[in-house]
Amino acid sequence: MKEIIRKREYDTETATVVKKVTSGYYGDPCGYEEILFKTPEGLYFQYGRGGQCSAYPQETITCVAKTKVKAWLESHN
C-alpha cells in the first residue's frame, strides 16, 4: 500500500518491517494486523488492516514520530 501524507510518500513495498503484531486469527472479524515500518529516509509509519469489526476495517497508514517509536514497540511487546 502506498499513501502520500504531508507531501511524503509512505510505501509498504519499499519500507523495512520493524515489527509486526497480529491479534485474532485469519477470518476473525475483530482480528487485525499492525506493522511498524521504517522508510529508506528514516521515517516511521504504522500500517493496519483487519476485519470489519476491528480497529482497522480499512487499510490504514499512520505516521509515527521517531520520539514515539520506542513507546509503540513497548506497547506491542
Side-chain angles (χ1 to χ4, degrees), residues 12-13 17 19 28 31-32 34 49 55-56 69 72-73:
T12 58
E13 296 294 320
V17 173
K19 179 156 179 117
D28 180 0
Y32 63 88
E34 289 181 324
R49 70 175 173 188
Y56 306 102
V69 170
W72 190 95
L73 290 169

Side-chain angles (χ1 to χ4, degrees), residues 13-70:
E13 296 294 320
T14 59
T16 303
V17 173
V18 176
K19 179 156 179 117
K20 179 178 178 179
V21 177
T22 305
S23 176
Y25 54 89
Y26 184 77
D28 180 0
C30 296
Y32 63 88
E33 175 178 73
E34 289 181 324
I35 307 171
L36 181 66
F37 285 94
K38 184 176 182 180
T39 69
E41 296 79 24
L43 302 172
Y44 291 90
F45 67 95
Q46 181 249 317
Y47 167 80
R49 70 175 173 188
Q52 60 194 119
C53 297
S54 75
Y56 306 102
Q58 297 177 343
E59 290 182 298
T60 304
I61 287 182
T62 307
C63 301
V64 179
K66 289 180 183 180
T67 57
K68 307 260 183 192
V69 170
K70 184 178 178 183

